[in-house]
Amino acid sequence: MKTVFSVTGLMLVLALHTKAQSPSIKWDPNPVPHKVKAVYNAESAVILSDMRMQEYVQEDKKGLMIITTTKKLVKVMDDKGVEMFNKIYLPVYNGSELIEVKARTILPSGKIVNLPAEKILDVEEEGRAYKKFALEGVEKGSEIEYYYQVKRPSSFFGLEIFQSSTTPYEEADFILVTPDYLSFTVKGYNGFSVSRDTVIGAKRVTTATCKDILAIDDEKYGNKDAHAKNVQYKFSYNLSKDKNVRVFTWNELAKNVYNGYTSYTDKEAKAVEGFLKQVNIPATASEEQKIITLEDYIKTNINSDKEGIGEDADKIEKIVKTKVSSNDGLNKLFIICMDKLGINWQIVFPSKRDDIPLDEELENYRLIDEMLFYFPSTGHFLEPVNSSYRYPYFNPFWANTKGLFLQGTTIGNFKTALASFNDIPIQPIEESAHNMEVSLKFNSDMDSLELHSKQILLGYGATIYRPAYNFIAKDKLEDLSKDIIKSVAKSDNIKNIKVQNTAFTDGFYKKPLTIEADIVSADLLEIAGKRILVKLGEVIGPQEQMYQEKARQLPISMQYPHVLDRDITFTIPAGYQVKNLNDLAMNITDKEMGKETMGFVSTYKIEGNDLKIKVHEFYSVTDYPISMFDEFKKIINASADFNKVVLVLEKK
């Protein structure tokens, strides 16, 4: 058995191809089976080697192009592994040219089964084109190897992710090859090491490698994409022109984006002036009131789509008439409107806690996508193209991050923007709540419970249901409310439904979304001989449970800080007593630097025939390190344990 192809071997391949040839990834004509490291023996499959090369080549007619070479070698260890890898899909992109594809199966015996070219099929699934092939003769212990090359127009920014949720890697290698006069910045993340670039002949070569990449499971309260091992690169210097001038900087991006959105014609400005008359903002409105009114009107009246809807979806004059827009068109409409209203704004490109974050030191424009508006006078943000949020709320995974702020400025008569990274804060714990008030008592026949339930949702807590109350058909609203109320008690006997503060703008005014009703439920009761069992814990609704056998891989990430306060009043029927009151008492909290950052505390007291229970659950920050996972798990499970509390009633 031979060992897996290492980075040392990779450099040897590069060294052997310096004479008038580009570095290359080789296809071994005589492969033999490999031995998997013992640590991977229980896996269904192991990626022995994943090698990728991006080579920039100058062509006379097409200019600068990229040739992408990929070679992957996978060992399948059991039937599940065979099922995972015996069919391969290679994406085909518009404007790209597939140069070569080859694949083979290396059986445990060493026999090689090559894939015939006619077995490579063109397919389309879910609107995307692929090259698909099924490998023959795959059995447990086989190795699947495939290689393909694609040529496409150049891009000066790149991202290569080497991570799987199902399969570990023994080794991953990345090679960047450019003409020697083009200098790229290359950086590895989460354990990927990058070599200094080396000039080989007329080529500049940079390599990166990472060994023993474990599969990252889909863990509850974990953002695996943000922690994926990856390599990023961007074009930084053209040494044939000026080796000291860095290109594609954050300031250059700021200037281009700012100019693109703030350059508008008199015709566009006039169309917006007419549009603002429809918005009808009072002349006496404060800047914040202008922001709130403008956003709500645009998001209520204009439909937008990321890819655009029709040929005119970017044209301001058409948007204000048709009420249909692309995302870029909507962003520009917001900006022209804000300029006309005298609102001071900045564009912000957020980093994301649930995705690969921006890096201030590596200007990878490829990661620039969705944007926010920041208002210096208020310190708050607005997400222009997401109709489910209203100022000051936006996607919470974009908050508690660093963002790229584009601040407009004037240099002489020239308007531009400067880029800087600053904090994007998240709304504090006091602003978001999932609270409830529930009262329970027996009916006169003692065969059902009569409940009055009121759910009180504040801040981000209300963003769960407010969009539904605004977008769903009116004749479906009662069904929506009943579905929400059934989380308190599984019953179809729901009456006197009352829902308040469903308007999107109620969030800014700190008006909680409230959903209340009267419920009659027999499901919460059970007769056990002379005892009556009351499933009181179920009124707080289903709760998450965390039982993790494997070691935790990811730090904990909550969407937003929030509190869950539940006030429950149970009227004990005359002549009865509760035998297990202590089951209601829980107190699990955790401190970081002397301050409580999360906890589950439940207490009770009896006043006359009323048993009054208070449950206080809270998470005051968004992110907790792995070292706090055990305590976090205890708190999450405490709410699940409370949900299982059954009161035992006996006659006095």
Side-chain angles (χ1 to χ4, degrees):
M1 299 286 185
K2 69 177 182 180
T3 58
V4 179
F5 195 79
S6 68
V7 73
T8 304
L10 171 61
M11 293 306 297
L12 179 62
V13 168
L14 297 178
L16 292 173
H17 289 77
T18 58
K19 295 183 179 181
Q21 292 187 45
S22 296
S24 62
I25 294 175
K26 301 300 291 181
W27 182 259
D28 189 343
N30 300 300
V32 296
H34 299 82
K35 185 177 181 180
V36 170
K37 293 179 180 179
V39 68
Y40 300 127
N41 283 342
E43 299 289 343
S44 292
V46 180
I47 298 170
L48 300 175
S49 173
D50 184 346
M51 301 178 64
R52 308 177 199 176
M53 184 169 76
Q54 302 284 8
E55 181 175 10
Y56 288 75
V57 295
Q58 187 71 41
E59 295 190 348
D60 292 336
K61 293 183 179 180
K62 295 182 179 180
L64 194 65
M65 303 289 286
I66 298 177
I67 296 176
T68 300
T69 306
T70 301
K71 182 167 78 72
K72 187 173 285 191
L73 177 64
V74 182
K75 194 174 192 76
V76 295
M77 311 284 282
D78 57 24
D79 290 338
K80 181 180 177 182
V82 172
E83 182 66 23
M84 289 164 60
F85 286 100
N86 68 347
K87 294 183 180 67
I88 305 296
Y89 290 79
L90 305 178
V92 177
Y93 299 104
N94 289 334
S96 66
E97 174 193 349
L98 185 64
I99 299 172
E100 184 178 15
V101 180
K102 48 189 175 184
R104 61 190 174 192
T105 303
I106 306 164
L107 298 176
S109 64
K111 180 182 177 182
I112 299 169
V113 181
N114 291 306
L115 177 74
E118 62 270 16
K119 295 287 187 178
I120 301 173
L121 307 176
D122 292 303
V123 298
E124 186 171 314
E125 294 188 11
E126 298 181 357
R128 296 190 60 180
Y130 296 90
K131 293 287 185 181
K132 173 188 174 182
F133 50 87
L135 291 152
E136 299 177 355
V138 181
E139 60 185 75
K140 289 186 290 185
S142 297
E143 293 178 17
I144 293 167
E145 187 173 32
Y146 58 94
Y147 169 104
Y148 63 100
Q149 276 193 323
V150 177
K151 184 191 292 186
R152 58 186 172 85
S154 63
S155 168
F156 295 117
F157 312 93
L159 166 67
E160 295 288 338
I161 299 173
F162 296 83
Q163 195 79 63
S164 168
S165 61
T166 59
T167 312
Y169 291 64
E170 283 204 359
E171 182 164 352
D173 295 293
F174 173 74
I175 317 164
L176 180 68
V177 183
T178 70
D180 59 359
Y181 58 86
L182 299 182
S183 176
F184 279 65
T185 302
V186 185
K187 195 170 179 180
Y189 297 86
N190 300 317
F192 239 99
S193 60
V194 177
S195 71
R196 295 188 64 177
D197 60 357
T198 302
V199 176
I200 302 175
K203 301 291 185 180
R204 185 176 298 275
V205 180
T206 306
T207 62
T209 189
C210 191
K211 297 178 183 293
D212 297 318
I213 303 173
L214 299 180
I216 295 184
D217 296 329
D218 289 314
E219 295 180 325
K220 295 175 182 177
Y221 303 104
N223 293 323
K224 68 177 183 179
D225 290 346
H227 299 274
K229 297 185 186 297
N230 69 91
V231 179
Q232 298 180 42
Y233 56 94
K234 55 89 56 175
F235 176 39
S236 293
Y237 297 96
N238 186 338
L239 303 181
S240 67
K241 291 187 176 180
D242 192 334
K243 64 180 181 180
N244 296 317
V245 176
R246 189 177 179 93
V247 297
F248 296 120
T249 64
W250 289 130
N251 275 332
E252 189 175 344
L253 174 76
K255 179 184 71 174
N256 292 335
V257 171
Y258 185 83
N259 289 342
Y261 280 124
T262 60
S263 300
Y264 45 86
T265 66
D266 292 341
K267 190 175 181 181
E268 288 175 322
K270 186 176 180 180
V272 167
E273 289 170 0
F275 177 76
L276 286 173
K277 290 178 182 178
Q278 301 171 35
V279 183
N280 195 26
I281 298 174
T284 57
S286 67
E287 180 169 280
E288 196 160 44
Q289 191 59 55
K290 291 176 183 177
I291 294 167
I292 294 163
T293 306
L294 175 66
E295 178 193 27
D296 193 55
Y297 186 87
I298 288 178
K299 290 185 175 180
T300 301
N301 291 279
I302 295 183
N303 295 316
S304 67
D305 182 85
K306 187 170 185 176
E307 303 301 327
I309 311 169
E311 296 179 358
D312 297 328
D314 290 327
K315 298 177 180 178
I316 297 299
E317 310 96 290
K318 296 293 185 180
I319 292 170
V320 299
K321 288 182 179 179
T322 63
K323 303 296 189 289
V324 173
S325 174
S326 67
N327 284 358
D328 277 343
L330 198 71
N331 290 335
K332 190 166 187 177
L333 176 62
F334 262 106
I335 286 171
I336 302 175
C337 286
M338 291 188 294
D339 283 350
K340 293 297 178 183
L341 292 169
I343 297 171
N344 184 16
W345 55 271
Q346 294 177 17
I347 290 173
V348 179
F349 291 109
S351 217
K352 300 168 186 175
R353 291 185 291 116
D354 61 346
D355 206 343
I356 292 173
L358 299 179
D359 183 349
E360 188 171 357
E361 297 178 351
L362 190 141
E363 309 97 322
N364 191 353
Y365 291 9
R366 178 169 172 173
L367 300 182
I368 296 295
D369 191 5
E370 294 93 343
M371 67 187 225
L372 299 168
F373 292 125
Y374 170 65
F375 304 99
S377 65
T378 69
H380 292 308
F381 298 79
L382 181 157
E383 185 179 351
V385 301
N386 191 332
S387 60
S388 294
Y389 290 107
R390 294 293 190 275
Y391 171 98
Y393 298 96
F394 55 95
N395 187 325
F397 282 117
W398 301 358
N400 197 27
T401 66
K402 289 278 189 180
L404 180 66
F405 286 65
L406 281 50
Q407 183 175 0
T409 187
T410 301
I411 303 173
N413 294 322
F414 178 66
K415 288 186 176 182
T416 187
L418 298 176
S420 63
F421 276 81
N422 288 302
D423 292 331
I424 302 177
I426 196 162
Q427 296 288 330
I429 186 173
E430 297 81 12
E431 300 297 325
S432 296
H434 304 239
N435 298 337
M436 67 189 321
E437 298 170 358
V438 183
S439 62
L440 309 86
K441 64 180 181 180
F442 281 89
N443 66 352
S444 57
D445 293 329
M446 293 282 289
D447 60 2
S448 295
L449 284 173
E450 297 174 350
L451 301 88
H452 182 78
S453 164
K454 184 177 183 180
Q455 299 187 49
I456 306 159
L457 306 170
L458 184 67
Y460 274 117
T463 64
I464 300 170
Y465 295 127
R466 269 205 181 107
Y469 277 105
N470 282 273
F471 297 146
I472 202 168
K474 288 185 178 181
D475 62 344
K476 301 294 184 183
L477 287 176
E478 184 173 320
D479 290 339
L480 169 64
S481 297
K482 285 184 176 180
D483 285 342
I484 297 169
I485 293 163
K486 284 179 181 179
S487 67
V488 177
K490 297 175 182 177
S491 173
D492 292 322
N493 192 343
I494 300 172
K495 297 179 180 178
N496 302 323
I497 297 173
K498 185 179 181 182
V499 182
Q500 291 183 300
N501 305 325
T502 60
F504 278 118
T505 52
D506 286 336
F508 170 77
Y509 296 107
K510 303 186 189 301
K511 295 180 180 180
L513 170 63
T514 61
I515 306 164
E516 61 182 310
D518 294 321
I519 313 167
V520 177
S521 172
D523 287 346
L524 295 177
L525 287 180
E526 188 174 325
I527 306 299
K530 295 181 179 181
R531 294 178 172 183
I532 301 175
L533 307 182
V534 179
K535 303 172 188 176
L536 183 134
E538 291 188 10
V539 303
I540 70 169
Q543 301 296 306
E544 189 74 75
Q545 287 184 287
M546 297 189 73
Y547 299 105
Q548 187 161 328
E549 295 181 2
K550 294 183 179 179
R552 180 77 180 188
Q553 294 177 289
L554 298 171
I556 302 140
S557 183
M558 307 289 285
Q559 277 191 295
Y560 47 86
H562 62 283
V563 65
L564 303 96
D565 283 334
R566 293 102 162 192
D567 289 340
I568 305 167
T569 300
F570 172 57
T571 301
I572 304 170
Y576 282 83
Q577 60 183 339
V578 180
K579 298 295 291 182
N580 59 327
L581 287 172
N582 286 338
D583 289 353
L584 296 168
M586 300 182 185
N587 190 336
I588 304 173
T589 60
D590 196 72
K591 292 183 178 181
E592 188 175 18
M593 298 180 68
K595 184 179 180 181
E596 289 184 345
T597 60
M598 56 181 167
F600 185 96
V601 180
S602 59
T603 59
Y604 70 89
K605 63 181 178 180
I606 294 179
E607 295 181 355
N609 286 339
D610 288 338
L611 170 60
K612 295 191 173 182
I613 304 148
K614 284 188 174 292
V615 179
H616 178 58
E617 184 179 355
F618 63 95
Y619 305 90
S620 62
V621 298
T622 58
D623 298 286
Y624 301 91
I626 292 179
S627 60
M628 296 179 71
F629 175 69
D630 286 341
E631 288 305 314
F632 177 80
K633 184 170 64 172
K634 288 177 185 177
I635 291 164
I636 290 291
N637 288 340
S639 64
D641 291 341
F642 187 92
N643 174 260
K644 299 170 187 173
V645 168
V646 177
L647 297 184
V648 179
L649 275 62
E650 292 182 353
K651 286 189 175 182
K652 294 180 180 179

